[in-house]
Amino acid sequence: MLSAKVKEWITQGKLDENLSYLYVCGYEKVADYRKRLLLAVENFEKLFGEGRDIHIFSAPGRTEVGGNHTDHQRGRVLAASVNLDVIAVVSAGSSGRVRVKSEGYPMDDLSAKELDIKESERNKSVSLIRGILSRFSQLGHTVGGFDAYTTSNVLAGSGLSSSAAFEVLIGTVVNDLFCGGRESALKIAQIGQYAENRYFGKPCGLMDQAASSVGGFVTIDFRDAEAPRVEQVHFDFAKCGYALCIIDTKGSHSDLTPDYAAVPAEMRKVAAFFGKEVLSEVDEETFYQNISALREKTGDRAVLRAIHFFSDNARVLKEVAALKDNDFETFKRQIIESGYSSYMYLQNVFSPAHVQEQGMSLTLALCQKFLAGKGGAYRVHGGGFAGTVQTFVPQDSLGEFVEKMEAVLGKGSCHTLSIRPVGGTKMI
């Protein structure tokens, strides 16, 4: 559709129903999303010219719901897409060049025919684009050039995985333009992971990309590393009476690399005691029978972290079952138990090297205080040690809760979200 026609459609409200569904909002808020789309189209026209045949794509950020630090032990996780996203206005080109301008960043410009890894591009967005194109080409698709303008409202540094959303966005664009949409949402997620691992240079797992690409609640079993089992869990979060609130504790991630690295290293030490690579290969009962010897061999913290793995890995199954049964009360209990397990056994709520900085511990304590008797749920979000706390807050208590939390942590520290029912998608 020509860009002028797209702007006409947006202005006339012909996308309002889709926007309301995609962003889980009432019609009173759709106007803001209309303005965002119009501005994106106008910025595309300024960069690449008017009168182009354009498409608009979207890929959401994600939240980790269940299974804290279980994925690197090839365990289970529960994640979900959220109603923040990266959008792209795209037009196919005939030059064979791919030009992607992301708002606030320099233009990425590359040839669709030059797809080898470039060391100079490590840790840069252009490497992700090149890696995605390369993987589609390896799968037998003929890829070509296109122009794209992207803009994102996925909060950077919030644990909502803006990088995975970008990967899924580019994968969805390439799949539509050059593959006739034949590749599945899971395959697009795997292509994004490939690009991040091989081209960008980060050894990430599949959880972030899968949650963004598949959409809604998504559970993943990583036991088979080559073919993880991914299932969308159908639950209408919009009707449960709760809001998802991600709280920025304002903690710094600097100097925390040793803390993050110690978690998988210690879990693998426990697995190695039994001659296994990861904890998902260890029988839980056998583990408990050998704790005395393990304490001497690996230390107490490693044992406690293994206890967390076994309990949180099993807890994912209970969370999934509760959602399938439309039993949000049981689901919330599992979320709280996961939070306690992370705090007491996994011990990723503050760094032992920075004991005076415990913003996450304080935030969790305030969540317990402010949600007492109101039915909310809360837990550490993502990697931990600093960063964000995830809460499920009753809608009728949300305003008061946010006010109290932001009085301590500062204005804008609470981000009220919902679970988006759609993953990577073509909007127009």
Side-chain angles (χ1 to χ4, degrees):
M1 186 183 296
L2 295 179
S3 59
K5 188 66 174 178
V6 169
K7 290 190 290 185
E8 182 182 316
W9 267 43
I10 295 170
T11 303
Q12 292 177 349
K14 292 185 178 180
L15 292 179
D16 284 6
E17 185 174 351
N18 289 339
L19 293 174
S20 176
Y21 178 71
L22 192 68
Y23 294 109
V24 199
C25 68
Y27 281 95
E28 69 280 359
K29 294 185 178 180
V30 164
D32 292 335
Y33 294 107
R34 274 199 234 116
K35 291 178 183 177
R36 182 178 178 228
L37 289 182
L38 283 170
L39 182 59
V41 174
E42 290 167 358
N43 285 335
F44 174 91
E45 290 177 325
K46 291 175 185 177
L47 285 164
F48 303 115
E50 298 180 3
R52 300 281 295 272
D53 186 18
I54 64 170
H55 314 266
I56 301 180
F57 297 86
S58 163
R62 71 96 185 104
T63 182
E64 174 204 281
V65 179
N68 194 219
H69 281 279
T70 51
D71 55 336
H72 52 67
Q73 297 301 299
R74 298 212 298 269
R76 306 181 192 95
V77 297
L78 176 64
S81 57
V82 298
N83 57 339
L84 298 176
D85 66 346
V86 191
I87 61 172
V89 180
V90 180
S91 181
S94 58
S95 67
R97 299 205 68 80
V98 175
R99 298 185 295 175
V100 178
K101 175 67 171 74
S102 296
E103 183 182 20
Y105 296 91
M107 177 89 74
D108 291 323
D109 189 339
L110 63 149
S111 170
K113 295 181 179 179
E114 298 175 9
L115 302 179
D116 292 337
I117 294 172
K118 294 183 181 294
E119 292 300 324
S120 62
E121 293 178 351
R122 295 288 192 187
N123 299 306
K124 297 178 181 178
S125 59
V126 66
S127 69
L128 296 174
I129 301 167
R130 196 182 301 276
I132 290 167
L133 289 166
S134 174
R135 189 64 184 138
F136 272 104
S137 180
Q138 293 168 27
L139 293 171
H141 301 292
T142 301
V143 297
F146 62 90
D147 295 327
Y149 173 79
T150 82
T151 180
S152 174
N153 62 10
V154 182
L155 306 164
S158 62
L160 298 175
S161 200
S162 56
S163 59
F166 180 78
E167 292 159 23
V168 169
L169 180 74
I170 298 300
T172 304
V173 168
V174 175
N175 189 41
D176 181 84
L177 293 183
F178 306 111
C179 313
R182 290 190 294 275
E183 298 296 351
S184 68
L186 177 57
K187 178 59 71 174
I188 291 172
Q190 291 171 324
I191 290 169
Q193 181 195 21
Y194 171 88
E196 189 161 344
N197 291 171
R198 297 289 300 277
Y199 280 70
F200 188 82
K202 181 180 177 181
C204 69
L206 184 65
M207 177 179 70
D208 296 349
Q209 293 88 348
S212 176
S213 190
V214 176
F217 284 99
V218 180
T219 185
I220 311 169
D221 187 338
F222 291 102
R223 184 64 181 271
D224 184 343
E226 298 302 316
R229 294 172 54 193
V230 179
E231 178 189 358
Q232 188 176 47
V233 182
H234 297 287
F235 177 81
D236 192 347
F237 183 79
K239 295 181 179 178
C240 73
Y242 283 77
L244 169 65
C245 188
I246 300 294
I247 305 172
D248 184 358
T249 67
K250 309 295 185 181
S252 171
H253 287 85
S254 62
D255 301 324
L256 294 178
T257 299
D259 296 297
Y260 290 122
V263 174
E266 291 181 7
M267 288 186 178
R268 286 176 183 268
K269 273 187 180 180
V270 174
F273 178 89
F274 299 99
K276 304 296 183 181
E277 182 185 359
V278 290
L279 284 175
S280 61
E281 299 174 336
V282 177
D283 176 70
E284 183 177 0
E285 189 59 37
T286 302
F287 160 78
Y288 276 102
Q289 291 170 357
N290 286 273
I291 283 183
S292 180
L294 276 166
R295 293 183 67 192
E296 184 176 346
K297 185 73 174 177
T298 67
D300 287 344
R301 190 172 70 172
V303 172
L304 287 166
R305 284 175 165 169
I307 288 173
H308 165 79
F309 168 81
F310 288 116
S311 62
D312 227 37
N313 197 46
R315 198 171 286 117
V316 170
L317 293 177
K318 297 175 184 178
E319 292 165 349
V320 170
L323 291 177
K324 288 181 177 180
D325 290 340
N326 203 35
D327 183 357
F328 203 67
E329 291 303 312
T330 296
F331 170 79
K332 289 187 300 174
R333 285 197 297 272
Q334 298 304 318
I335 293 294
I336 293 173
E337 287 182 16
S338 175
Y340 281 126
S341 181
S342 293
Y343 205 150
M344 294 187 293
Y345 308 137
L346 182 60
Q347 298 179 31
N348 69 331
V349 173
F350 66 91
S351 169
H354 306 280
V355 293
Q356 296 304 314
E357 301 173 19
Q358 296 197 35
M360 188 168 286
S361 305
L362 174 61
T363 300
L364 289 165
L366 293 175
C367 287
Q368 185 179 40
K369 171 70 173 177
F370 298 153
L371 291 175
K374 293 182 170 64
Y378 41 88
R379 70 191 281 273
V380 58
H381 182 240
F385 299 107
T388 56
V389 166
Q390 178 189 74
T391 59
F392 292 92
V393 184
Q395 289 282 4
D396 56 8
S397 302
L398 181 62
E400 179 186 9
F401 176 79
V402 169
E403 182 180 357
K404 289 181 176 180
M405 292 302 304
E406 293 192 342
V408 177
L409 298 174
K411 196 72 174 175
S413 57
C414 292
H415 306 288
T416 302
L417 308 174
S418 192
I419 305 300
R420 164 169 152 160
V422 179
T425 189
K426 183 178 181 179
M427 299 170 68
I428 296 180

